[in-house]
Amino acid sequence: MKKFVYADNAATTKVSEKVLSSMLPFYTEGFGNASSIYALGRSAQASIEKAREQVANGIGCEAKEVYFTSGGSESDNWAVKSVAKNLAKRGKNHIITTVFEHHAILHTCQALEKEGFEVTYIPIDDKGYVNPCDIENAITDKTALVTVMFANNEIGTIQPIAEIGRICREKKVLFHTDAVQAIGNVAINVKEMGIDMLSLSGHKIHAPKGIGALYVRKGIILNNLIHGGGQEKGKRAGTENVPSIVGLGIAVEEACNIDNINAKASKLTPMRDRIISELLKLPKTRLNGGTENRLCGNVNISFEGVEGESLLLFLDNMGICASSGSACTSGDLDPSHVLLALGLKHEVAHGSLRISLADDASEEDVDYIIECVPKAISTLRAMSPLWERIVKGE
Ligand SMILES: *Cc1c(COP(=O)(O)O)cnc(C)c1O
């Protein structure tokens, strides 16, 4: 039987049994509208508020500071646009972010630039980390917001968020972080880390797609996203997606449990490092992103003389799901902005492979990856005129 190894958990994860079973009753007997007055509705409402507590407990905030959204992209958009528009009224029209954010942040900032906002894009170093001093130096009296991702989705580097939070607090600038990839890998406490706003997404942590949350520290004005009914304090109208909200609550509770975080790290770190060290044995190969403060499930390697898309199709044929660049950019031919920000040449960035493991990964999965990837690379290189030139040193 053909083996199947899903190694693209940074793109999305499978809904866990525990999450699924928490959700199912809300599709059947518990289908009530949370705004209805009778017991069926009240029980749905109570389940939503329980999930809000679970999310709040996971990141160290109060339940009333948590808003449910459709996912990471919506949370990012809502946070950044809301702060930008509100602080512009007070003459603050400057936003600081980084060059390697998810497009949900980058494209939002670019849209704001078109409206007249000024955005500073802080570079990363060649290992994929932001230097907090660069953030500090970029802050002016016009700065409304700093937004820096907690962990990068392509290269897995975990940023010095508490340090950046401290700087922002000192300078009295609001600080948002996209923690979609960090949840479940790093213990997060928004109060201790000086985080004012935080985005998270369900489908990266074994909850369904289309559900997420935004934490907004009390006192910060959040604009209305959807006008209509009174859901989410009237800021995001529309009948709640009760099953998904319930599932998200369980998923965040599981992901943020410190024993689970530690168990995941002790299990996946050696697996990740085994894949990295085996694949780096191939010639003309490099690891993207540093090894310290790296997500325990993330491998990102560039193979010269190989085309990323062909590699993915080759691996797919062998039953391995992986990614090249980020899932959102596949389909267009530009190499990943993250890899370019690391300083990679276009052709090297094109030949990149991201493997992202979840806590259910097995040693057999790792063996299979280590067996298949080198086979794929040598076959593709044997057919590549580019590789021929590289070998000749042209
Ligand atoms: C996946 C991802 C998002 C987008 O989340 P969706 O729920 O898919 O909208 C945003 N930021 C990062 C870092 C991600 O990995």
Side-chain angles (χ1 to χ4, degrees):
M1 208 181 79
K2 185 164 133 186
K3 243 184 106 62
F4 178 74
V5 175
Y6 182 77
D8 202 14
N9 289 280
T12 198
T13 60
K14 185 177 180 175
V15 172
S16 71
E17 290 293 335
K18 193 163 177 177
V19 166
L20 182 64
S21 62
S22 76
M23 292 173 62
L24 288 177
F26 294 91
Y27 287 110
T28 52
E29 315 86 69
F31 66 90
N33 185 320
S35 301
S36 302
I37 202 83
Y38 38 77
L40 188 67
R42 291 197 313 269
S43 136
Q45 184 62 41
S47 304
I48 291 174
E49 294 319 313
K50 183 179 168 211
R52 206 183 302 279
E53 285 285 346
Q54 288 167 320
V55 172
N57 287 339
I59 59 172
C61 70
E62 291 175 36
K64 61 175 184 238
E65 297 173 307
V66 173
Y67 297 82
F68 291 113
T69 67
S70 70
S73 301
E74 183 182 318
S75 297
D76 285 346
N77 272 257
W78 197 3
V80 173
K81 287 179 193 166
S82 208
V83 172
K85 307 245 153 121
N86 285 315
L87 292 188
K89 292 177 199 149
R90 289 199 247 145
K92 292 185 185 277
N93 66 343
H94 179 225
I95 297 164
I96 298 171
T97 187
T98 73
V99 291
F100 80 149
E101 297 296 310
H102 189 274
H103 284 131
I105 292 287
L106 285 181
H107 289 168
T108 300
C109 287
Q110 286 159 12
L112 289 169
E113 278 185 288
K114 290 208 176 103
E115 292 177 28
F117 286 88
E118 241 176 75
V119 181
T120 302
Y121 299 90
I122 302 291
I124 49 171
D125 66 19
D126 61 358
K127 295 257 183 293
Y129 302 98
V130 173
N131 182 345
C133 295
D134 291 344
I135 305 278
E136 185 160 19
N137 295 335
I139 295 176
T140 70
D141 53 5
K142 293 259 189 247
T143 308
L145 177 74
V146 169
T147 174
V148 177
M149 71 195 322
F150 209 126
N152 185 271
N153 46 305
E154 292 188 39
I155 54 176
T157 52
I158 301 166
Q159 304 305 314
I161 290 301
E163 179 69 14
I164 297 169
R166 191 190 55 73
I167 291 166
C168 290
R169 196 165 276 186
E170 240 174 60
K171 302 264 184 180
K172 299 192 166 52
V173 171
L174 292 180
F175 178 39
H176 167 262
T177 187
D178 175 339
V180 170
Q181 295 287 339
I183 298 277
N185 290 293
V186 188
I188 297 177
N189 185 304
V190 291
K191 304 289 163 184
E192 286 168 12
M193 293 175 158
I195 298 166
D196 296 306
M197 305 174 103
L198 177 145
S199 303
L200 62 87
S201 173
H203 74 101
K204 307 292 176 74
I205 54 169
H206 305 288
K209 293 156 190 63
I211 189 73
L214 175 65
Y215 147 74
V216 181
R217 180 172 57 72
K218 58 175 181 277
I220 297 173
I221 301 167
L222 187 65
N223 288 350
N224 283 13
L225 185 68
I226 301 175
H227 299 272
Q231 295 91 353
E232 300 301 297
K233 296 193 200 123
K235 294 183 183 299
R236 186 182 186 271
T239 304
E240 297 92 339
N241 182 349
V242 185
S244 289
I245 289 173
V246 167
L248 181 70
I250 298 288
V252 172
E253 187 174 75
E254 285 291 301
C256 294
N257 174 301
I258 191 67
D259 294 329
N260 292 345
I261 290 176
N262 290 336
K264 183 178 174 187
S266 353
K267 179 181 171 184
L268 293 189
T269 306
M271 290 183 172
R272 174 198 72 188
D273 292 344
R274 190 154 76 88
I275 297 174
I276 291 174
S277 68
E278 285 300 319
L279 297 187
L280 286 183
K281 286 179 184 165
L282 301 171
K284 301 279 184 192
T285 297
R286 61 163 274 157
L287 174 70
N288 299 315
T291 45
E292 268 164 60
N293 294 325
R294 183 185 189 106
L295 295 177
C296 60
N298 176 288
V299 174
N300 189 314
I301 292 187
S302 296
F303 304 94
E304 283 184 45
V306 170
E307 216 277 304
E309 306 278 301
S310 322
L311 176 57
L312 294 189
L313 292 175
F314 209 103
L315 292 175
D316 185 30
N317 260 330
M318 300 198 253
I320 297 177
C321 303
S323 129
S324 171
S326 69
C328 320
T329 49
S330 64
D332 74 44
L333 287 170
D334 283 340
S336 139
H337 66 289
V338 176
L339 299 180
L340 295 182
L342 284 176
L344 266 68
K345 293 201 197 101
H346 278 238
E347 62 271 25
V348 177
H350 265 305
S352 304
L353 175 69
R354 179 186 71 186
I355 290 166
S356 44
L357 306 173
D359 36 17
D360 63 352
S362 70
E363 293 294 346
E364 290 72 41
D365 294 343
V366 173
D367 291 340
Y368 191 60
I369 289 169
I370 288 170
E371 178 193 325
C372 293
V373 176
K375 270 190 209 162
I377 297 293
S378 56
T379 309
L380 290 170
R381 279 177 170 173
M383 309 188 297
S384 157
L386 181 62
W387 176 245
E388 221 172 286
R389 290 209 300 273
I390 292 166
V391 173
K392 285 192 200 142
E394 282 170 20

